[in-house]
Amino acid sequence: DGGITQSPKYLFRKEGQNVTLSCEQNLNHDAMYWYRQDPGQGLRLIYYSQIVNDFQKGDIAEGYSVSREKKESFPLTVTSAQKNPTAFYLCASSISFGNTIYFGEGSWLTVV
Amino acid sequence: GENVEQHPSTLSVQEGDSAVIKCTYSDSASNYFPWYKQELGKRPQLIIDIRSNVGEKKDQRIAVTLNKTAKHFSLHITETQPEDSAVYFCAALSNNAGNMLTFGGGTRLMVKP
């Protein structure tokens, strides 16, 4: 788990702003994921990437965008189209798609 | 696709007692079932997992059992301690669902000293 680094840990967004959450892994994992967790709730899949230069929408992709230009990096942009972005965002990776998922430490995003 | 239901949503036990959390899944093609523990404000961490060719797996005070016929699997924690207090998530991975991992809704376990 220590090989997945998310930054920043805390982020504040103003109305109408786009913000980008960073996720880097040094585990040589092919697959990477972004989940959203609202307080007291479960995990919802935003986007996932099975391999570099490929990504797919998850269950709640609207208002978010991603890129996967490098194997170790999978940044998530929360756009102004996401009307209620305040949540805990978790990046995860697995050695290949369909294998055990390991999570990063998460990023807290708050709209001010 | 796969649907995973987890019960109970909250569970309170006395220190030293056992705790059992149960999950049911809908897709008979699911073949991998991990359990995660999430402490308050932290990331979910894998604590134990089981594959469909095994009926039970143990690791010290925790164990997972799988009943493929009934399509349910359970987490058992024995001799609970206050540090076991957390939210526990089960999950199931189905080939039919494109190898996607589907999570249950979580169980908040509180161990009272």
Side-chain angles (χ1 to χ4, degrees):
Chain A
D1 289 4
I4 305 170
T5 302
Q6 290 186 238
S7 63
K9 188 167 180 64
Y10 301 96
L11 184 61
F12 297 90
R13 193 194 90 168
K14 294 181 181 179
E15 295 283 349
Q17 270 188 341
N18 292 353
V19 293
T20 297
L21 307 180
S22 170
C23 179
E24 302 276 331
Q25 52 97 2
N26 62 4
L27 302 170
N28 201 32
H29 284 178
D30 279 326
M32 297 186 75
Y33 315 78
W34 275 104
Y35 287 88
R36 170 178 170 149
Q37 187 175 36
D38 292 287
Q41 302 298 310
L43 303 162
R44 294 189 288 171
L45 183 64
I46 306 172
Y47 267 98
Y48 64 98
S49 168
Q50 297 191 40
I51 200 164
V52 66
N53 291 323
D54 175 74
F55 52 84
Q56 306 292 333
K57 292 181 179 180
D59 300 320
I60 57 163
E62 186 175 351
Y64 300 97
S65 66
V66 294
S67 63
R68 185 84 188 277
E69 297 175 1
K70 297 186 294 183
K71 185 176 185 177
E72 59 270 22
S73 179
F74 191 41
L76 173 74
T77 296
V78 184
T79 75
S80 57
Q82 173 49 241
K83 297 307 178 187
N84 186 23
T86 295
F88 187 45
Y89 290 86
L90 287 156
C91 177
S93 70
S94 60
I95 190 163
S96 62
F97 192 66
N99 272 290
T100 305
I101 286 179
Y102 298 94
F103 289 90
E105 294 192 354
S107 293
W108 293 91
L109 174 62
T110 303
V111 174
V112 295
Chain B
E2 175 65 281
N3 182 47
V4 178
E5 295 198 357
Q6 185 171 345
H7 299 282
S9 56
T10 60
L11 178 59
S12 181
V13 300
Q14 206 67 37
E15 181 178 0
D17 287 350
S18 294
V20 181
I21 303 169
K22 183 176 176 178
C23 288
T24 59
Y25 60 98
S26 60
D27 189 346
S28 56
S30 289
N31 56 13
Y32 174 62
F33 308 91
W35 284 89
Y36 290 84
K37 174 184 180 182
Q38 186 179 29
E39 297 177 358
L40 190 62
K42 300 195 174 179
R43 62 183 159 186
Q45 292 195 292
L46 180 73
I47 55 172
I48 196 167
D49 56 10
I50 192 168
R51 296 195 181 271
S52 59
N53 58 346
V54 175
E56 181 176 0
K57 184 176 179 180
K58 292 184 71 173
D59 183 2
Q60 300 182 337
R61 294 186 300 108
I62 61 173
V64 57
T65 57
L66 171 64
N67 183 326
K68 288 189 292 183
T69 303
K71 290 190 283 188
H72 67 71
F73 57 110
S74 299
L75 178 71
H76 304 255
I77 306 174
T78 59
E79 301 172 23
T80 54
Q81 301 167 5
E83 51 265 38
D84 294 329
S85 296
V87 178
Y88 291 81
F89 290 99
C90 65
L93 189 146
S94 168
N95 292 330
N96 284 349
N99 274 345
M100 287 304 303
L101 196 62
T102 302
F103 285 90
T107 296
R108 180 172 301 278
L109 173 64
M110 294 170 284
V111 181
K112 293 184 280 189

